[in-house]
Amino acid sequence: MINRKTVSILVLALFAAMLLAAPVCSAASQDLDKPTRMLLKVDVVDTNMFWSYPYISRDGKARVPAAIQVVWSTTSGLDSKTETMAVAKSDRGQVAITTEKDAFVDIEVQVVDAKKTILGKASLQVRNTGKDVAFVVNVPDITSPVIELQ
């Protein structure tokens, strides 16, 4: 049978271990809340062709790109921010995003014309670990007529 003295020593040792571990746990939780910078990069392939290529929008009008922008948020579209990554004739661009470490970031890269009509877009969700995220934008491999059976 364990006596009171042994139980008291074990309780004190456990209490001391908890006090010693508290700063380590606190530092770990502070590290998760630490702001982390993620760099979104975009490269435009065949720059001259891309920026002069006439894209047909849903309204049937031919439009040329004027910018590549990114729309991002950490709350599934709520409080989203829009920033320009690249403008006409540039071959690359970038935008820095700062969030909590390991926050999920919803990203939508958009090619827009001068009136902000979206000509093309791609979406993804990434975890902000501080690493760069890179995109490549290019003209389509082929454009061809749509043939449908009546």
Side-chain angles (χ1 to χ4, degrees):
M1 179 143 205
I2 301 175
N3 61 22
R4 287 183 184 200
K5 185 177 182 180
T6 306
V7 170
S8 298
I9 292 172
L10 287 174
V11 168
L12 286 173
L14 181 61
F15 182 69
M18 287 173 34
L19 285 176
L20 291 173
V24 173
C25 293
S26 176
S29 69
Q30 287 174 355
D31 191 39
L32 289 177
D33 296 339
K34 183 178 180 181
T36 302
R37 181 176 169 261
M38 172 174 51
L39 195 61
L40 303 180
K41 297 179 175 183
V42 64
D43 286 317
V44 179
V45 178
D46 197 358
T47 308
N48 292 332
M49 174 72 98
F50 174 78
W51 292 109
S52 62
Y53 194 90
Y55 296 92
I56 308 299
S57 60
R58 293 208 178 268
D59 61 5
K61 295 181 180 177
R63 302 173 186 267
V64 294
I68 300 171
Q69 62 186 22
V70 62
V71 179
W72 68 275
S73 74
T74 57
T75 54
S76 299
L78 301 175
D79 299 324
S80 63
K81 296 167 185 64
T82 302
E83 299 183 48
T84 300
M85 295 179 73
V87 294
K89 306 299 180 197
S90 61
D91 62 346
R92 64 180 41 105
Q94 62 186 30
V95 168
I97 292 176
T98 302
T99 68
E100 292 179 355
K101 184 172 178 58
D102 289 329
F104 286 102
V105 183
D106 297 321
I107 299 171
E108 183 173 275
V109 176
Q110 303 173 341
V111 175
V112 297
D113 72 354
K115 294 182 179 180
K116 302 293 184 199
T117 302
I118 298 172
L119 307 177
K121 63 184 176 180
S123 302
L124 71 146
Q125 185 180 68
V126 297
R127 187 180 294 230
N128 185 358
T129 59
K131 294 182 180 178
D132 295 351
V133 177
F135 300 91
V136 176
V137 180
N138 200 351
V139 293
D141 290 336
I142 186 171
T143 55
S144 61
V146 176
I147 302 171
E148 297 175 344
L149 183 61
Q150 288 190 339

